[in-house]
Amino acid sequence: MVNIRITSRDEAVIKAISKFRFCLSRQLKVIAGFSSQRTCDRRIKKLRDVGYIERKYVVYGVPGLYFLTKKATQVFTLELVTSHIRIDQINHTICVIDTAIYFLERYHLTLDDFTTERELKSSAGFEKAKHCPDIIFENEQEKYCIEVELSTKRGAAIEKNIRENYLNFDKQIWVVRRGGKKIRDNLVEYGKKYPNISMIDLEEVQRHVKAI
């Protein structure tokens, strides 16, 4: 039977995967503070060998996704563990994790400073469904919410989300593609009514994160 001594970096890997459903190895390298991708991959392999995480190839062209196992749930007493994900959610989740890393670096935060959409929904339990941002956190006594928007919702739907964010947060930051003209135009227009809106290019977020 394979056994390993759990390190603080191992705990960071486990926590990140639990928080976001899955992670890519390049994302775990940054979140857990490994010195190199090779060092990260070797440690991930040990965590796989001991049965705490598993790698799945779900979509052609997308690197392996690392999920937690039932064994990890029991050993680390985790509440949020997902062993699968809908294909249409994969790209969005990857972008959300990259965005989280971007703000970790930008504001010198830790993973514990973030609450994700899945954590918000889990804590709400059986309460009436309401909109939950992708990420929320506090910085310098201000409440932030982050929205990663890869598609264009109907005007009424997106304004509803913007209005809720305006009422509940000091700042709402929308991460959108440079080529997403319609969503960008909508955000500029709604920004006249809800002035706590700002935008960041998804491409800039991903460029920054992949360079770390």
Side-chain angles (χ1 to χ4, degrees):
M1 182 177 179
V2 179
N3 286 302
I4 60 172
R5 183 177 64 84
I6 298 300
T7 68
S8 59
R9 286 195 174 95
D10 296 334
E11 292 174 346
V13 166
I14 299 296
K15 182 183 295 184
I17 299 174
S18 175
K19 185 175 281 283
F20 294 110
R21 292 187 176 90
F22 69 83
C23 287
L24 303 178
S25 63
R26 67 169 176 80
Q27 294 168 333
L28 292 172
K29 178 240 176 187
V30 179
I31 291 172
F34 287 100
S35 59
S36 69
Q37 191 61 60
R38 181 184 179 189
T39 302
C40 175
D41 291 342
R42 289 172 65 180
R43 193 62 189 180
I44 287 174
K45 184 178 185 305
K46 290 185 178 180
L47 292 172
R48 288 174 59 204
D49 291 343
V50 83
Y52 292 150
I53 64 177
E54 58 183 337
R55 181 176 60 193
K56 295 182 180 181
Y57 290 96
V58 183
V59 178
Y60 179 77
V62 175
L65 312 179
Y66 289 96
F67 293 87
L68 296 178
T69 64
K70 290 182 178 179
K71 181 178 179 180
T73 306
Q74 297 165 352
V75 172
F76 296 94
T77 320
L78 303 171
E79 294 182 6
L80 293 177
V81 172
T82 302
S83 59
H84 63 279
I85 188 169
R86 293 201 331 249
I87 290 177
D88 61 317
Q89 293 179 330
I90 291 174
N91 188 40
H92 179 262
T93 301
I94 291 172
C95 292
V96 168
I97 302 169
D98 282 341
T99 300
I101 294 171
Y102 177 85
F103 284 102
L104 280 172
E105 296 283 317
R106 178 173 176 176
Y107 293 125
H108 308 291
L109 303 172
T110 71
L111 209 57
D112 289 332
D113 293 319
F114 287 159
T115 304
T116 61
E117 178 188 17
R118 75 185 309 228
E119 290 172 317
L120 291 169
K121 289 182 175 178
S122 176
S123 63
F126 293 101
E127 292 180 17
K128 184 179 179 181
K130 64 177 182 179
H131 172 69
C132 295
D134 290 311
I135 304 167
I136 67 171
F137 62 89
E138 291 189 15
N139 182 57
E140 296 184 348
Q141 299 183 327
E142 289 188 309
K143 295 174 66 178
Y144 287 70
C145 74
I146 310 298
E147 302 276 11
V148 178
E149 191 61 52
L150 303 183
S151 59
T152 304
K153 294 183 174 67
R154 291 182 297 105
I158 195 169
E159 184 174 9
K160 178 177 179 293
N161 294 347
I162 289 171
R163 186 189 306 114
E164 288 188 23
N165 291 343
Y166 180 74
L167 295 173
N168 294 312
F169 299 92
D170 298 301
K171 295 184 179 181
Q172 55 177 312
I173 302 175
W174 289 72
V175 180
V176 296
R177 292 189 176 105
R178 289 195 184 107
K181 185 178 186 304
K182 188 171 183 180
I183 180 62
R184 297 178 78 93
D185 288 347
N186 284 341
L187 290 171
V188 169
E189 189 63 30
Y190 289 131
K192 299 173 184 177
K193 188 175 180 181
Y194 308 102
N196 70 338
I197 294 175
S198 62
M199 280 186 284
I200 295 180
D201 293 342
L202 173 62
E203 291 84 355
E204 171 58 24
V205 168
Q206 292 180 320
R207 184 202 64 78
H208 176 81
V209 171
K210 290 177 181 179
I212 299 174

